[in-house]
Amino acid sequence: IKGKLKHQLQETLPRYDALYLEYGNTFYLRYHMHQSGFDELIAPLVDSGVVYIGSSASTICAGITISIAFWKGWDNPGVGAEWDLSVTEEKFTGLGLVPDLSFFPHFSPKWKTIVDAKVKELDHPVIVLSDAEAYVINGNERKRIEVPVEDDL
């Protein structure tokens, strides 16, 4: 989506049954989702049946807030860069594809203490997902499923 214009995405995205968004820097990805207009287009597409498949950063982006990306300190928030979200009106809002929760991917026991502390600062639940789990939402049905990881293949 980087470098794409909204009208290009409006023409292209509806052609697909599923959209897989990869991993990377959450803040950088969310900035380009906004710049391209993807953030305005994705919810109606999902509502019409297009499947959003997030991985890592794009999983975080699907929720209410991307501030969760600060919890691990893995992603550079881009302070002073073109993609610095702290100076935008949107700040650290997610796509809100799931309007009542956020996501913490790559969960393992070493993150439990920080997640338990930080989740109390939010006004909504956070779904923690290990690398061997996915969270599937189909209409009103929500479930966590186990998925094979590379070591299992």
Side-chain angles (χ1 to χ4, degrees):
I1 56 179
K2 179 183 176 185
K4 297 291 183 189
L5 300 173
K6 186 175 180 179
H7 72 86
Q8 293 171 309
L9 295 177
Q10 283 174 310
E11 293 172 17
T12 305
L13 295 179
R15 297 181 195 159
Y16 298 98
D17 295 326
L19 299 172
Y20 173 74
L21 286 85
E22 288 204 75
Y23 48 87
N25 184 309
T26 306
F27 305 103
Y28 186 79
L29 176 61
R30 183 64 183 94
Y31 171 81
H32 286 288
M33 287 176 164
H34 178 69
Q35 288 301 110
S36 65
F38 177 87
D39 60 354
E40 295 175 15
L41 301 172
I42 189 61
L45 289 169
V46 169
D47 289 345
S48 74
V50 173
V51 177
Y52 177 98
I53 305 164
S55 174
S56 191
S58 54
T59 299
I60 294 173
C61 288
I64 295 172
T65 181
I66 66 166
S67 65
I68 288 168
F70 284 114
W71 296 3
K72 290 181 186 173
W74 288 0
D75 291 354
N76 175 353
V79 175
E82 174 188 2
W83 46 277
D84 181 355
L85 296 172
S86 69
V87 298
T88 66
E89 185 176 316
E90 293 79 21
K91 299 259 185 241
F92 303 108
T93 59
L95 297 172
L97 297 179
V98 186
D100 59 346
L101 52 86
S102 291
F103 298 96
F104 184 98
H106 307 299
F107 181 78
S108 69
K110 73 178 181 180
W111 299 111
K112 183 175 179 359
T113 302
I114 195 162
V115 169
D116 288 348
K118 293 289 193 180
V119 77
K120 293 174 186 172
E121 298 172 8
L122 300 176
D123 62 355
H124 61 276
V126 174
I127 300 296
V128 296
L129 298 167
S130 74
D131 289 343
E133 296 177 304
Y135 196 72
V136 179
I137 301 169
N138 186 6
N140 292 328
E141 181 184 0
R142 297 176 179 200
K143 63 183 174 181
R144 179 187 311 267
I145 61 171
E146 293 205 21
V147 295
V149 291
E150 196 169 303
D151 294 342
D152 295 340
L153 300 178

